[in-house]
Amino acid sequence: QVQLVESGGGSVQAGGSLRLSCVTSGYAYCMAWFRQAPGKEREKVASIHSNGVTTYADSVKGRFTISRDNAKNTLYLEMNSLKPEDTAMYYCASEVIWYTSCSTLVARGFSYWGQGTQVTVSS
């Protein structure tokens, strides 16, 4: 059973920064961050392939950076210039099956999920 452990969430003021981390118990080819706010659909924030190729939602591009340390099986999300609209529960997800690209892999395509970490951005 692959397990994911997230950390780094918290409360910050608009314009602030947070760094989320996700440690997995095994290697994964596609890893991603999703977020979900009450009353809204789960949104794919960013993904990263084991080859380093990344993709971002338009709403966070230029502000967030996804990265991974393959040796440590750890995923990161650096969030800068945070906005109140970024407030949500953030989930780490991984997929152990290899895909050519992670850009089109949606939530249902990820096999493993963390419990989530809350990010709250105040005005």
Side-chain angles (χ1 to χ4, degrees):
Q1 180 80 39
V2 175
Q3 295 183 323
L4 291 76
V5 181
E6 299 146 320
S7 62
S11 298
V12 298
Q13 294 188 21
S17 300
L18 285 173
R19 187 195 190 211
L20 306 183
S21 299
C22 173
V23 180
T24 71
S25 60
Y27 185 81
Y29 292 103
C30 285
M31 300 189 75
W33 289 98
F34 290 79
R35 67 184 182 186
Q36 188 168 28
K40 294 186 177 182
E41 294 183 318
R42 184 164 295 191
E43 176 188 23
K44 188 178 183 181
V45 177
S47 68
I48 184 168
H49 198 282
S50 59
N51 62 19
V53 176
T54 60
T55 185
Y56 297 91
D58 289 340
S59 59
V60 306
K61 193 170 185 178
R63 299 187 298 119
F64 291 10
T65 301
I66 189 171
S67 62
R68 62 188 292 171
D69 186 332
N70 292 332
K72 297 180 179 180
N73 292 329
T74 302
L75 178 71
Y76 303 96
L77 184 67
E78 183 71 35
M79 304 184 293
N80 299 311
S81 301
L82 283 162
K83 304 175 180 179
E85 304 91 273
D86 296 318
T87 296
M89 184 73 75
Y90 283 71
Y91 298 92
C92 174
S94 69
E95 176 54 55
V96 298
I97 298 175
W98 186 88
Y99 291 88
T100 302
S101 175
C102 302
S103 62
T104 59
L105 192 61
V106 296
R108 64 179 180 272
F110 288 86
S111 298
Y112 302 100
W113 294 80
Q115 292 296 309
T117 183
Q118 179 67 39
V119 172
T120 302
V121 185
S122 62
S123 300

